Amino acid sequence: MTPQPSSDRRIQNLFPFALASLLILGTARVFLDNLKNSQQPFSRQFSRHQTVRLPINVSDEEVIEEGCNVFEGQWVWDNLSYPLYTEKRCPYLVKQVTCRRNGRPDSFYQNWRWQPHGCKLPSFNALKLLEILRDKRLMLVGDSVQRSMFDSMVCLVQSVIPDGKKSLQKIPPRKIFRAEDFNASIEFYWAPFVVESNSDHATNHTVLRRMVKLDSIANHGRQWEGADILVFESYVWWMYEPLINATYRSPHTVQEYNVTTAYRLALETWANWIEASINPDTQKVFFMSMSPTHLWSREWKAGSDGNCFSESRPIQRPYWGSGSNLDIMGIVKDVLGRVKVDVRLLNITQLSEYRKDGHTSVYGERKGKLLTTEQRSDPKTYADCIHWCLPGVPDTWNEIFYALLLQDYRRL
């Protein structure tokens, strides 16, 4: 009869296996810790609409310092870090904003970095932003200025997404960029007055007589429902003339309203929708202040009679142009201060005021077509000093927006 091994012998035989198991577990733990601290988020998709991920690391250097106002600062030259992308490397840019490709002779407007007083903005990290947006919808609502913020955001993130895992759809009045591996979407919704109007068609919105429905927002609101992060903007379409045709309380009675009066009524309608429709526990809301225009060079260069054409450097002194209406700014702050849901102001006006050099000028489109040589030779008539070249100023708006989202993420 074969003798059975003793108890000590069994323990001795098991020891190597136990040691090997401990080594494997230890290695796995180190591997997972490294992934957790890596700047590149780690995820494993286990179904089409659900993902599991380890949290991204947000360092102390990436957090906005207490008391720092990121909207106050100055533009500094930085041709080493900027631009954050190029026209060639972002296939989603539209011709309206590709100034270099359209013939602009200089690229200096691409090399300025916004430096807040007393603190630094975190470096933009596309993977971290996409991780923050995982399983979420980010929607930007407004006019063509807000669309440039959308275009910028898409360009900032798209390069880290593999081909075949990203797409851009146009479903008027929306444009939708999807990042499949993150189950995330970045969307733009055309609503130049925020409330409803006869200019709400995404492509055919040039009308002889603009008319705004100051107390109507339901049709837009249905499209906004379900978005996790909303960024609203509405300004330049209001400023066409001092008076605007509108309806209020009586849908069949059109009256002329002072623009500032109409703007307040419209924004109060929007605020009522926010209070009734937004869940502050699961949704974030931002409102972007007015994007400035640079229509009259005499405002920054006494005695001149031009506009933003041929400008190549920012204004380096205190400046506020007449194109930015202080009454409208006051209405925005007042309505946001009274709305019962937290709405944060992206106050990009002052920092953008300095950038007389950043507009598309004669290197953009007019009525869907690039300017002719004859039109470009008449910048006083044809220069566009409202819209911005990309890469350019809207990238900074998104850098600040990213910094705020990153700060929110760390607080979770």
Side-chain angles (χ1 to χ4, degrees):
M1 184 172 180
T2 305
Q4 296 296 318
S6 66
S7 175
D8 290 344
R9 185 65 173 264
R10 288 196 194 100
I11 294 173
Q12 206 171 24
N13 289 337
L14 288 173
F15 182 77
F17 296 100
L19 181 61
S21 299
L22 287 171
L23 288 172
I24 291 169
L25 289 171
T27 302
R29 179 60 183 270
V30 171
F31 176 71
L32 291 173
D33 285 345
N34 285 339
L35 282 173
K36 182 177 179 180
N37 292 324
S38 170
Q39 285 191 358
Q40 298 188 10
F42 169 75
S43 66
R44 177 173 61 84
Q45 187 166 331
F46 61 85
S47 74
R48 189 169 181 178
H49 300 293
Q50 191 174 16
T51 57
V52 168
R53 68 176 185 270
L54 293 173
I56 60 175
N57 178 54
V58 182
S59 67
D60 291 340
E61 289 73 24
E62 292 177 296
V63 176
I64 301 170
E65 296 177 20
E66 191 75 27
C68 177
N69 185 346
V70 294
F71 302 105
E72 294 181 356
Q74 62 183 346
W75 291 96
V76 297
W77 177 256
D78 184 354
N79 62 348
L80 297 178
S81 305
Y82 289 78
L84 298 175
Y85 58 90
T86 63
E87 291 179 3
K88 288 183 178 180
R89 292 183 180 179
C90 185
Y92 301 106
L93 286 177
V94 296
K95 285 192 294 183
Q96 184 182 25
V97 299
T98 52
C99 299
R100 284 285 286 160
R101 186 182 301 161
N102 298 342
R104 180 164 174 165
D106 74 292
S107 61
F108 301 138
Y109 64 93
Q110 300 180 357
N111 302 124
W112 294 93
R113 172 173 55 82
W114 179 247
Q115 175 59 61
H117 295 316
C119 67
K120 292 173 63 177
L121 288 175
S123 298
F124 187 88
N125 186 310
L127 284 169
K128 287 188 178 183
L129 178 59
L130 287 168
E131 195 63 59
I132 291 171
L133 297 180
R134 182 180 291 279
D135 302 325
K136 291 182 173 59
R137 292 174 60 202
L138 163 63
M139 182 179 287
L140 295 92
V141 179
D143 55 27
S144 52
V145 171
Q146 187 76 328
R147 188 172 60 216
S148 69
M149 186 176 179
F150 165 83
D151 292 337
S152 162
M153 178 70 81
V154 170
C155 288
L156 286 167
V157 303
Q158 66 86 27
S159 63
V160 302
I161 306 171
D163 292 338
K165 298 293 185 178
K166 55 189 173 185
S167 63
L168 180 66
Q169 290 179 289
K170 297 179 182 179
I171 309 174
R174 289 192 295 161
K175 293 176 71 175
I176 306 169
F177 177 80
R178 300 187 191 277
E180 288 185 20
D181 286 346
F182 295 86
N183 190 33
S185 68
I186 301 170
E187 307 175 26
F188 168 73
Y189 183 92
W190 173 265
F193 294 99
V194 175
V195 293
E196 295 167 24
S197 74
N198 65 346
S199 299
D200 287 341
H201 193 283
T203 55
N204 186 22
H205 43 249
T206 301
V207 295
L208 292 176
R209 187 186 185 202
R210 294 178 180 177
M211 201 277 292
V212 183
K213 303 175 183 179
L214 298 176
D215 54 353
S216 297
I217 201 169
N219 290 335
H220 290 333
R222 281 190 286 271
Q223 301 279 344
W224 304 338
E225 289 175 359
D228 299 279
I229 305 171
L230 284 156
V231 185
F232 293 92
E233 175 270 341
S234 181
Y235 175 65
V236 73
W237 277 65
W238 292 93
M239 306 311 294
Y240 185 65
E241 292 179 348
L243 300 175
I244 193 166
N245 297 303
T247 61
Y248 186 68
R249 293 181 177 171
S250 177
H252 305 294
T253 303
V254 179
Q255 295 181 325
E256 281 192 336
Y257 285 79
N258 180 281
V259 162
T260 53
T261 300
Y263 190 90
R264 178 180 287 278
L265 292 172
L267 215 59
E268 288 174 347
T269 297
W270 167 83
N272 290 335
W273 182 89
I274 292 291
E275 290 181 352
S277 306
I278 293 296
N279 181 350
D281 294 328
T282 59
Q283 295 171 285
K284 300 180 191 296
V285 183
F286 297 82
F287 194 97
M288 192 172 83
S289 66
M290 65 190 78
S291 172
T293 61
H294 293 89
L295 304 176
W296 302 285
S297 62
R298 63 178 179 269
E299 294 187 348
W300 61 83
K301 186 178 180 181
S304 62
D305 188 32
N307 48 37
C308 68
F309 174 69
S310 78
E311 295 289 348
S312 60
R313 295 179 63 85
I315 298 169
Q316 299 286 359
R317 58 175 176 80
Y319 174 79
W320 185 276
S322 61
S324 297
N325 189 300
L326 288 171
D327 291 334
I328 295 292
M329 180 69 89
I331 292 169
V332 169
K333 291 182 176 179
D334 180 54
V335 173
L336 264 58
R338 289 187 288 109
V339 68
K340 296 176 183 177
V341 174
D342 181 30
V343 179
R344 280 180 282 181
L345 179 66
L346 292 174
N347 195 353
I348 57 88
T349 306
Q350 182 63 82
L351 67 90
S352 306
E353 282 281 5
Y354 303 125
R355 294 304 305 275
K356 59 182 172 57
D357 59 311
H359 294 287
T360 54
S361 182
V362 297
Y363 305 106
E365 289 183 315
R366 188 181 180 91
K367 296 182 179 179
K369 295 182 180 179
L370 294 176
L371 299 188
T372 64
T373 302
E374 183 179 356
Q375 288 172 327
R376 288 187 180 184
S377 66
D378 184 12
K380 285 192 69 173
T381 302
Y382 290 101
D384 179 351
C385 299
I386 296 173
H387 297 98
W388 304 93
C389 300
L390 289 176
V393 173
D395 301 327
T396 295
W397 304 345
N398 277 318
E399 284 186 276
I400 293 173
F401 181 48
Y402 163 73
L404 298 176
L405 292 179
L406 198 64
Q407 187 161 269
D408 289 349
Y409 182 91
R410 174 153 167 163
R411 288 171 177 166
L412 293 177

